[in-house]
Amino acid sequence: MKAKKKFEISIFIVIMIVAVLGIMQLYNFYYENKISHDTLLVLDSIVMVIFVFVSLYYFYSARKFYRKYNQTLRLQENMTVISEKNQISYMQYDVNKCMFYNWDPKTLDLKDGYEVEEFYKSVHPDDIDVAKKMVRYTTNHGTGLYSCKLKFKFQGKNNYSWQNIDIFPYDTDNEGFPIKYIAVLKNTDSIHKYIDELHEMYLHAESTDKMEKAFIHNISHDIRIPLNTIIGFMQLLDTDVTKEERKFFMDIMQKNSDLLIKIINDTLSLSSLESGYYLFNRNEFDIKSFMHDLVDNIRPNIHDGVELKLVEHESCPVHLDPLHLGEVLKILVLNADKFTPSGSITVDYKIEKSLLKVLVIDTGIGIDKLDQNRIFEKFEKIDKSSIGPGLGLYICKAILDKAGGQIGVKSELGKGSTFWFSVKYSANS
């Protein structure tokens, strides 16, 4: 049975009990005072009519009161749900007492009164001026709606949260000046988080735009140099040149053609890596044979005066992508050759638990510690005069990141460098 029906039945039972007691009292009065039967009937009828009208009045009043009570209860429940779901809080401010009171939406009661200075302690230091302006609005008996936003820490909470505050008067004195205000606080942390994310996206987009412009500038510059060299020496071949000069020109054209192909390949690799279409095809192969063949293929590209060596170990099957492993190793060896005027470049490898670790050790010019932190970034070059867009080490790091590996360098100026990378080699790892 619903609460409303129970209430109405209870009122009806009370009225009937009162009616019966009233009639009994009337009959007792009749027997004690010997009133005639007709007079008793008249009095009884009058009393019953009056009682019925009074009962109906009170029954109607009780139902009206119940409706208002029920509406208040529903309002209270709705406020509780709205407050909890939308993270809305309420406060009351008494201008005369200079006191804030928390307003509990579950009971509609005021509690926890505290002074203005205590309120300021809950406001983030950066927003104290905003809070003081809000209080000043109430002190000046503002009559409209005042809105502001600040970071606020509620009692029992450890962190500040962004709050949008709307404060407005709800009680006045005899002269019509507001003396009490209600402040509605709406948590807007999610909005500010979204705004921060948009800001980061904007900065990222702006940075990406700058990187794209830098990329186009660098690539166009690096492509133009070997291309102009090839075209220039091709034109010279049409002139009267000796056999030795022709061979010299052809060698220069070949080197610049190789450089141009390398720039194009690096650009394509970079595009594939950043677009997400860089696929890995793991196969099982013997690391000893792979390293031997790869070093032999790279050796003709090493300039005179530098020896390329391989430290060979026992055969060991690995489960990796040979194409990308070879690409990373070739970039590291040719990069070492670029900065090793004379001496040697040594390729070593070893199995450490589930990792294959490869080292490229050179006797070159070395790298300053300050430069070691940035050489794996895009378009970074230690020697600004060197030809190339500075993508090689960035591509190595990007490939190893996607393969779940790591790459690093140990170096000292004038004492050479050791580039290393490690990657899980097992099919189950």
Side-chain angles (χ1 to χ4, degrees):
M1 188 179 294
K2 294 183 178 179
K4 182 177 179 181
K5 291 294 183 183
K6 290 182 178 180
F7 180 78
E8 291 177 349
I9 291 173
S10 300
I11 293 295
F12 179 76
I13 292 173
V14 170
I15 291 173
M16 293 304 298
I17 292 173
V18 173
V20 171
L21 291 175
I23 293 172
M24 289 176 63
Q25 288 295 327
L26 187 62
Y27 274 93
N28 287 337
F29 180 77
Y30 162 72
Y31 285 115
E32 290 176 0
N33 296 280
K34 305 299 182 180
I35 299 175
S36 66
H37 186 268
D38 292 339
T39 304
L40 180 62
L41 289 175
V42 172
L43 290 173
D44 192 24
S45 299
I46 293 172
V47 170
M48 288 301 295
V49 170
I50 294 173
F51 182 77
V52 168
F53 276 105
V54 172
S55 299
L56 290 173
Y57 172 76
Y58 279 104
F59 185 76
Y60 173 76
S61 299
R63 291 193 65 182
K64 188 176 180 181
F65 168 79
Y66 178 81
R67 281 198 298 269
K68 288 185 177 179
Y69 171 78
N70 201 32
Q71 289 174 353
T72 304
L73 189 63
R74 285 199 300 269
L75 175 62
Q76 180 181 330
E77 291 173 351
N78 291 338
M79 287 184 64
T80 302
V81 172
I82 292 172
S83 299
E84 291 177 349
K85 296 296 182 182
N86 295 292
Q87 295 183 294
I88 297 177
S89 306
Y90 307 91
M91 290 192 302
Q92 177 182 299
Y93 180 65
D94 191 315
V95 177
N96 295 331
K97 296 180 181 179
C98 296
M99 294 281 289
F100 278 94
Y101 300 89
N102 291 333
W103 187 15
D104 188 354
K106 293 183 178 180
T107 62
L108 301 182
D109 293 331
L110 298 177
K111 61 176 184 179
D112 301 336
Y114 48 93
E115 297 180 350
V116 175
E117 293 302 322
E118 191 69 23
F119 170 76
Y120 289 152
K121 290 180 181 179
S122 299
V123 177
H124 193 279
D126 295 342
D127 299 324
I128 289 295
D129 290 339
V130 178
K132 288 183 176 180
K133 287 181 181 179
M134 184 187 77
V135 173
R136 197 178 305 125
Y137 164 79
T138 62
T139 306
N140 295 331
H141 304 287
T143 57
L145 175 68
Y146 184 87
S147 299
C148 62
K149 59 181 179 180
L150 48 77
K151 284 174 283 188
F152 189 79
K153 181 166 62 177
F154 288 95
Q155 293 180 355
K157 301 291 185 180
N158 296 324
N159 300 320
Y160 292 97
S161 59
W162 275 105
Q163 301 290 328
N164 272 13
I165 302 179
D166 291 328
I167 186 166
F168 51 88
Y170 86 101
D171 193 11
T172 59
D173 58 15
N174 295 331
E175 297 179 358
F177 291 104
I179 55 173
K180 291 182 180 179
Y181 290 81
I182 289 180
V184 181
L185 292 79
K186 173 70 170 68
N187 187 299
T188 56
D189 275 344
S190 58
I191 296 175
H192 280 82
K193 182 181 178 182
Y194 179 65
I195 292 173
D196 291 340
E197 289 176 354
L198 285 178
H199 182 64
E200 290 180 5
M201 289 173 62
Y202 169 76
L203 293 178
H204 177 71
E206 189 177 37
S207 174
T208 302
D209 182 60
K210 290 180 179 179
M211 289 295 291
E212 287 179 353
K213 291 179 180 177
F215 174 79
I216 293 172
H217 175 268
N218 290 337
I219 291 299
S220 62
H221 176 265
D222 290 314
I223 289 177
R224 193 180 296 117
I225 292 175
L227 195 58
N228 288 339
T229 303
I230 293 170
I231 294 172
F233 279 96
M234 283 181 65
Q235 292 174 345
L236 288 175
L237 291 175
D238 293 334
T239 61
D240 293 332
V241 293
T242 63
K243 185 177 180 181
E244 290 76 13
E245 288 175 332
R246 180 178 292 275
K247 183 178 182 303
F248 177 71
F249 293 165
M250 292 293 293
D251 289 340
I252 293 176
M253 290 171 59
Q254 182 63 50
K255 289 181 180 179
N256 280 272
S257 296
D258 293 340
L259 176 60
L260 189 59
I261 291 172
K262 181 181 181 302
I263 293 172
I264 293 171
N265 287 335
D266 286 348
T267 304
L268 293 174
S269 295
L270 178 65
S271 177
S272 298
L273 284 164
E274 295 189 339
S275 65
Y277 291 103
Y278 208 74
L279 302 178
F280 290 86
N281 296 311
R282 287 177 175 259
N283 298 300
E284 186 172 300
F285 56 91
D286 178 49
I287 189 63
K288 178 182 179 180
S289 299
F290 173 83
M291 286 292 187
H292 184 275
D293 294 342
L294 182 64
V295 170
D296 279 349
N297 289 331
I298 298 175
R299 191 169 280 117
N301 297 312
I302 303 301
H303 71 270
D304 294 337
V306 176
E307 181 184 5
L308 178 58
K309 300 184 290 185
L310 172 66
V311 180
E312 296 195 24
H313 299 276
E314 296 293 329
S315 296
C316 178
V318 295
H319 194 84
L320 290 167
D321 186 329
L323 177 64
H324 295 113
L325 178 63
E327 182 178 3
V328 171
L329 187 55
K330 186 176 181 180
I331 290 174
L332 293 179
V333 171
L334 294 179
N335 189 71
D337 178 61
K338 188 187 300 183
F339 298 101
T340 305
S342 61
S344 65
I345 300 171
T346 303
V347 177
D348 193 6
Y349 63 94
K350 51 187 172 180
I351 300 295
E352 295 181 346
K353 296 181 180 180
S354 63
L355 295 177
L356 167 66
K357 188 170 184 179
V358 180
L359 300 95
V360 177
I361 308 162
D362 66 60
T363 59
I365 61 175
I367 306 170
D368 188 83
K369 287 186 177 181
L370 295 176
D371 293 327
Q372 292 176 25
N373 296 325
R374 64 180 181 86
I375 57 174
F376 294 102
E377 297 177 6
K378 195 187 300 184
F379 303 128
E380 289 292 343
K381 295 190 291 185
I382 299 173
D383 183 4
K384 299 297 182 181
S385 63
S386 63
I387 301 175
L391 292 175
L393 294 178
Y394 175 81
I395 290 173
C396 289
K397 186 176 185 305
I399 292 174
L400 287 164
D401 285 344
K402 288 186 177 295
Q406 292 181 316
I407 188 170
V409 62
K410 292 181 181 179
S411 183
E412 188 176 345
L413 279 176
K415 296 184 179 181
S417 304
T418 299
F419 281 86
W420 61 268
F421 68 87
S422 61
V423 64
K424 292 183 178 181
Y425 69 88
S426 172
N428 298 322
S429 61

